[in-house]
Amino acid sequence: MVIMKLVIRAELENLTNLQPEGGCDEPNFTYYFKLHCENCGEVSQKRTCVSLNERVPHPNGKGTINLVQKCKFCERKGTVLMIPGHGRPLTLHASQRGMHSPLMLFDCRGLNPVEFAFGNAWWKAQSVSSCVSLFVFLLKL
Ligand SMILES: [Zn+2]
């Protein structure tokens, strides 16, 4: 099992508390990424999307999970579980210090997210609109 932490970094000017419009744990906020198979090392061709409000039955029959996907190359099944409650808005203070802010944790088994991308989701920040350059990273914990 690997826990991945998705973090954001941005150069904020006259803005603070950058976060998804409905907050870091917004149920409909969609995350897009490709999946790297731990078994065969292949990376999926297409991006997969997950959001907190989309859950499927866990393959082990216990409860639900955010994503179950089979590797197209080796057919090994992997799962991704989103762990809310760890996201924080990116503040101007953190931005000026070049720090990043956590957005979401992913508990990954068999398939690890790579090449993260945002969809057309809305973000919000406080104060006047200004120039923002947004960077995202996935960190292995
Ligand atoms: Zn594979």
Side-chain angles (χ1 to χ4, degrees):
M1 158 188 140
V2 177
I3 304 275
M4 303 288 283
K5 175 162 71 173
L6 183 72
V7 300
I8 57 170
R9 187 165 67 86
E11 291 168 16
L12 301 177
E13 263 179 56
N14 304 319
L15 286 173
T16 191
N17 289 338
L18 177 71
Q19 60 185 311
E21 193 179 24
C24 293
D25 292 335
E26 180 185 339
N28 295 314
F29 190 82
T30 305
Y31 299 83
Y32 297 85
F33 41 70
K34 293 184 178 178
L35 290 160
H36 169 259
C37 176
E38 276 185 354
N39 185 47
C40 71
E42 286 292 335
V43 174
S44 62
Q45 303 273 314
K46 286 190 196 162
R47 283 198 168 84
T48 300
C49 64
V50 296
S51 61
L52 278 172
N53 71 351
E54 285 195 23
R55 298 184 72 95
V56 293
H58 197 291
N60 70 9
K62 293 179 190 161
T64 58
I65 198 157
N66 296 100
L67 178 74
V68 178
Q69 192 163 305
K70 210 189 252 186
C71 172
K72 285 206 168 71
F73 301 94
C74 72
E75 309 244 301
R76 180 79 67 91
K77 219 181 252 183
T79 61
V80 177
L81 174 67
M82 297 171 72
I83 308 171
H86 298 273
R88 274 199 319 270
L90 181 70
T91 63
L92 180 59
H93 180 74
S95 163
Q96 286 170 339
R97 290 166 158 243
M99 293 160 65
H100 50 240
S101 191
L103 190 60
M104 182 60 64
L105 296 187
F106 299 91
D107 176 343
C108 309
R109 290 161 203 247
L111 293 170
N112 296 326
V114 292
E115 298 184 38
F116 178 85
F118 288 110
N120 51 5
W122 289 93
W123 289 71
K124 69 178 178 186
Q126 288 169 352
S127 186
V128 292
S129 65
S130 191
C131 195
V132 180
S133 312
L134 184 66
F135 307 93
V136 293
F137 307 90
L138 277 163
L139 301 178
K140 210 173 226 183
L141 295 186

